[in-house]
Every structure is written in C-alpha cells, then in structure tokens.
C-alpha cells in the first residue's frame, strides 16, 4: 500500500517519490502524505493540469510535475494552457521526446531543437524545472544533446546510463 511506502520514507528526506496519478481520492492521498510527514518528498505528477491544481489546493507546499507527450503542435497547445495560467502550481514540466529515426532530418528528435530550447528558456523564467523523458534512449550523447538544449532533469528507463551521462556532461572540459 502507498501508506506503507510513505512510512518507509518518514524521517528519510533523501527518499523522494514521484506519484504518477491517474485516478485518486485527492483528499485521502493528501491526508496520508501529511500523516507520514512526507509532503516535501512527494512529487505529484499527472498529465492533467486541473488535477495538479486541485492537489496544490490540498497540499500547497508539495512539488508537482505536469508531463506531456504528442507532436510539437500538440505540445504547443498544452503549453499554451499552462502559459495562460503563468505555470502556477508547477514545479516541473516534462516533455516526452523520441529520436527522429523514421525520416532523414536535420532534427535529431521528433520535437525541434528550437522548440525545446524555447520551452526550457520560458520554464526557467517561471522557476519551473524543464524535464524530458527521452523514450527508449540508452545513448549518453542523446542526453548531452538535450542538456545542450536546456533540459534540466530526466525521467528514464535507463538510470545507470542517464546518471553517468549527466555526470560526464558536467565533468567535460
């Protein structure tokens, strides 16, 4: 049970948990997070910005992440909605990125470099962490390219490769 996980986190601030929420009783979840004193350790994540806003009303001091995938045009529409609200209640925004392998292109990703760079610049202006989930990527050079474009954090299925890539990126001369 999630409450058991929270108990294991209590008193251990180095333990963080991203909760990718689809369906939940927000009031119950908020009560459990508060009861175990892990508010600052939980990142409430969802593709549903309205759900994130509802969560923040219950636990205003918590961290949040709005994740989103889709085409560049779809991402622009989703970001326009966040922009209209001035990114309020968001700690992080995550864009899903795929390598551009289907057609020859100057763009390495399915989202243009210009779009990624501009998104990172804008999010930083609002104090929001720009995160990326590079789907299926296990190549350090891809993480380096994304960091060059302003990505500040990663979700990954390859944590060993990602951690090494980030460390090597910041150690390079």
């Amino acid at each position: 049970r999630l409450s058991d996980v929270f108990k294991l986190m209590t008193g251990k601030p180095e333990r963080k948990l991203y909760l990718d929420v689809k369906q939940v009783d927000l009031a119950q979840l908020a009560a459990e997070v508060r009861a175990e004193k892990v508010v600052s350790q939980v990142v409430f994540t969802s593709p549903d910005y309205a759900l994130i806003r509802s969560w923040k009303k219950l636990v205003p001091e918590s961290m949040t992440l709005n994740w989103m995938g889709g085409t560049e045009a779809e991402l622009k529409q989703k970001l326009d909605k966040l922009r209209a609200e001035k990114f309020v209640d968001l700690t992080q925004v995550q864009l899903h990125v795929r390598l551009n392998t289907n057609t020859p292109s100057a763009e390495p990703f399915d989202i243009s470099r210009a779009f990624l760079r501009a998104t990172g610049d804008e999010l930083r202006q609002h104090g929001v962490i720009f995160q990326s989930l590079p789907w299926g990527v296990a190549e350090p050079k891809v993480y380096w390219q994304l960091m060059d474009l302003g990505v500040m954090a990663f979700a990954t299925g390859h944590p060993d490769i990602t951690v090494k890539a980030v460390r090597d990126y910041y150690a390079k001369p």
Side-chain angles (χ1 to χ4, degrees):
R1 294 181 325 189
L2 201 47
S3 59
D4 295 331
V5 174
F6 293 153
K7 283 181 176 129
L8 293 170
M9 294 170 61
T10 301
K12 297 176 176 73
E14 71 280 3
R15 294 183 179 177
K16 306 283 187 212
L17 179 66
Y18 281 73
L19 290 175
D20 189 1
V21 175
K22 306 296 190 281
Q23 259 187 329
V24 67
D25 178 331
L26 286 180
Q28 179 183 345
L29 180 60
E32 289 180 17
V33 165
R34 287 195 182 286
E36 297 303 330
K37 298 177 178 62
V38 294
V39 170
S40 65
Q41 295 166 254
V42 170
V43 181
F44 185 89
T45 77
S46 176
D48 183 345
Y49 184 48
L51 188 63
I52 290 169
R53 302 282 318 266
S54 295
W55 170 257
K56 285 292 275 189
K57 287 177 182 160
L58 295 170
V59 190
E61 64 275 31
S62 72
M63 295 177 284
T64 61
L65 180 145
N66 188 196
W67 61 263
M68 56 187 77
T71 65
E72 190 169 313
E74 292 166 336
L75 291 172
K76 182 186 179 316
Q77 289 178 341
K78 293 174 185 180
L79 287 165
D80 283 346
K81 290 178 183 175
L82 302 182
R83 187 176 295 115
E85 298 293 328
K86 297 183 174 47
F87 300 92
V88 70
D89 293 333
L90 292 174
T91 308
Q92 302 175 52
V93 169
Q94 178 192 94
L95 300 187
H96 296 179
V97 177
R98 289 179 170 74
L99 290 175
N100 196 0
T101 57
N102 293 337
T103 58
S105 171
E107 292 290 348
F109 307 110
D110 63 341
I111 302 168
S112 72
R113 288 176 290 198
F115 184 86
L116 290 168
R117 187 175 295 111
T119 299
D121 289 346
E122 181 176 21
L123 291 174
R124 271 187 293 290
Q125 290 175 8
H126 291 276
V128 176
I129 295 170
F130 181 28
Q131 187 181 109
S132 175
L133 170 58
W135 280 101
V137 172
E139 299 173 40
K141 69 178 184 176
V142 173
Y143 293 97
W144 283 32
Q145 290 174 8
L146 289 166
M147 286 185 282
D148 283 347
L149 295 170
V151 172
M152 302 162 68
F154 295 100
T156 181
H158 305 281
D160 53 336
I161 293 167
T162 306
V163 168
K164 183 176 183 334
V166 171
R167 284 184 179 146
D168 291 349
Y169 180 87
Y170 286 106
K172 70 182 180 182

